[in-house]
């Protein structure tokens, strides 16, 4: 690894370590299921968690799972070969997600949010079957900021992606150790490490009208005009003033 890649790796590890500490994401004895889509983010997450696992003063284990969405051309052979050669326990969960989305998607709903809900449901069932008490997802700080704006613009809700989430049924804990990492740094790192990246072959992936792509573009424009916009939005998520909002459940009597 070059000196600049090593510096980048140290920076990413330190930010992941900070998120783990700030939100108690990993504890002694945890069995963590890492969701691997095969993209740059999930490869980076797996790699950083494995480095931390080897260095951490506490013991925890990692298993890796890919939810195969049933999209034509989505090939997992590369992932499987890479992971098995490095001794990871790896599971591919084959699904009929595409058919389910096409059959059940409400015309007013987004393909992506329905897809994300289905994937999460599959992971929620898979984790306890594999003896895992936590599920690690590879969302980064850009994903979190975009989700916050998407929810405000299109759902009328003030919510983003939390670093740690207890599922509604209380069976699973979802953790997002890369919540402080920037997408651009992850892309540089994945490139430097030459991870065997595969693409999801999703039929709507290149749809330029997708709301998330529009929000991404908007944020990039705002960042040029006012550098620091994105980091300010992220900071705002941990600096909430309930008395200055309008949710009657949150307001002090
Ligand atoms: S782009 Fe495709 S695979 Fe990705 S979340 Fe949207 S529907 Fe799912």
């Amino acid at each position: 690894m070059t000196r600049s890649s090593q510096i980048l790796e140290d920076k990413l590890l330190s930010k992941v370590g900070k998120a783990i500490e700030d939100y108690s994401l990993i504890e002694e004895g945890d069995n963590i299921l890492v969701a691997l889509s095969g993209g740059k983010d999930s490869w980076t997450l797996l790699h950083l968690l494995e480095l931390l696992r080897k260095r951490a003063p506490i013991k925890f284990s990692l298993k890796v799972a890919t939810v195969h969405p049933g999209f034509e051309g989505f090939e997992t052979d590369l992932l499987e070969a890479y992971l098995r050669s490095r001794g990871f326990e790896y599971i591919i969960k084959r699904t009929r997600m595409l058919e389910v989305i096409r059959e059940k998607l409400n015309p007013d709903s987004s393909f992506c949010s329905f897809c994300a809900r289905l994937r999460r449901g599959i992971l929620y069932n898979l984790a306890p079957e594999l003896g895992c008490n936590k599920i690690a997802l590879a969302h980064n700080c850009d994903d979190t900021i975009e989700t916050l704006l998407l929810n405000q613009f299109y759902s009328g809700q003030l919510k983003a992606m939390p670093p740690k989430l207890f599922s509604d049924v209380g069976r699973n804990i979802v953790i997002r150790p890369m919540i402080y990492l920037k997408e651009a740094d992850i892309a540089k790192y994945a490139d430097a490490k030459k991870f065997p990246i595969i693409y999801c072959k999703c039929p709507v992936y290149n749809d330029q009208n997708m709301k998330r792509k529009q929000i991404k573009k908007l944020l990039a424009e705002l960042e040029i005009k006012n550098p620091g916009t994105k980091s300010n939005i992220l900071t705002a998520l941990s600096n909430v003033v309930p008395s200055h909002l309008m949710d009657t459940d949150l307001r002090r009597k």
Side-chain angles (χ1 to χ4, degrees):
M1 197 158 48
T2 63
R3 173 136 176 78
S4 62
S5 308
Q6 187 60 60
I7 292 170
L8 178 60
E9 182 172 278
D10 292 345
K11 174 174 141 185
L12 299 186
L13 280 171
S14 140
K15 287 188 172 191
V16 168
K18 178 160 173 33
I20 290 172
E21 197 181 324
D22 287 351
Y23 298 100
S24 304
L25 300 185
I26 299 181
E27 290 140 310
E28 177 77 34
D30 276 345
N31 294 314
I32 301 170
L33 184 63
V34 181
L36 183 88
S37 68
K40 65 181 185 334
D41 302 272
S42 57
W43 274 120
T44 300
L45 173 66
L46 176 62
H47 196 77
L48 296 177
L49 285 184
E50 177 63 358
L51 286 175
L52 287 173
R53 189 187 68 78
K54 288 178 177 156
R55 297 176 190 178
I58 58 165
K59 281 202 166 65
F60 64 94
S61 71
L62 300 176
K63 287 183 185 170
V64 189
T66 297
V67 175
H68 191 307
F71 300 153
E72 203 178 322
F74 182 77
E75 301 291 351
T76 48
D77 301 2
L78 257 183
L79 311 185
E80 201 164 359
Y82 184 96
L83 291 166
R84 299 236 190 270
S85 71
R86 283 159 178 78
F88 283 102
E89 195 172 327
Y90 180 49
I91 302 95
I92 301 167
K93 184 75 184 171
R94 294 181 191 279
T95 71
R96 297 174 40 249
M97 264 175 50
L98 184 58
E99 283 169 56
V100 176
I101 296 173
R102 287 202 167 126
E103 269 167 39
K104 305 255 163 84
L105 181 67
N106 175 327
D108 300 329
S109 305
S110 128
F111 203 94
C112 287
S113 49
F114 191 41
C115 169
R117 275 206 308 280
L118 285 176
R119 274 177 204 267
R120 237 185 355 255
I122 291 161
L123 289 168
Y124 281 179
N125 287 329
L126 189 59
E129 277 171 35
L130 298 171
C132 294
N133 64 325
K134 288 183 181 163
I135 301 168
L137 301 182
H139 297 117
N140 56 51
C141 79
D142 295 77
D143 296 324
T144 306
I145 295 163
E146 288 155 23
T147 302
L148 174 73
L149 296 190
L150 280 164
N151 281 326
Q152 287 179 260
F153 290 5
Y154 299 106
S155 307
Q157 288 181 303
L158 193 53
K159 65 175 193 178
M161 285 173 165
K164 188 175 194 178
L165 177 74
F166 295 84
S167 72
D168 295 343
V169 283
R171 219 163 32 123
N172 301 102
I173 301 172
V174 171
I175 57 171
R176 295 186 168 98
M178 299 208 304
I179 201 89
Y180 292 148
L181 305 196
K182 290 182 184 167
E183 188 177 356
D185 284 340
I186 293 172
K188 266 188 230 154
Y189 184 66
D191 198 36
K193 297 296 288 182
K194 300 195 178 2
F195 294 134
I197 288 173
I198 61 166
Y199 297 93
C200 72
K201 305 284 180 187
C202 169
V204 301
Y205 186 76
N206 287 321
D207 181 352
Q208 290 306 319
N209 294 321
M210 269 164 51
K211 291 178 178 131
R212 187 172 289 274
K213 285 196 174 154
Q214 292 170 351
I215 293 282
K216 212 178 244 310
K217 188 164 168 271
L218 172 68
L219 283 163
E221 286 163 5
L222 290 172
E223 189 68 37
I224 290 169
K225 286 186 196 143
N226 178 33
T229 297
K230 289 205 270 187
S231 83
N232 283 339
I233 297 174
L234 192 73
T235 303
L237 282 173
S238 53
N239 198 10
V240 177
V241 186
S243 61
H244 284 54
L245 297 174
M246 293 170 65
D247 188 326
T248 49
D249 290 340
L250 289 177
R251 288 171 68 82
R252 292 209 186 99
K253 302 267 184 281

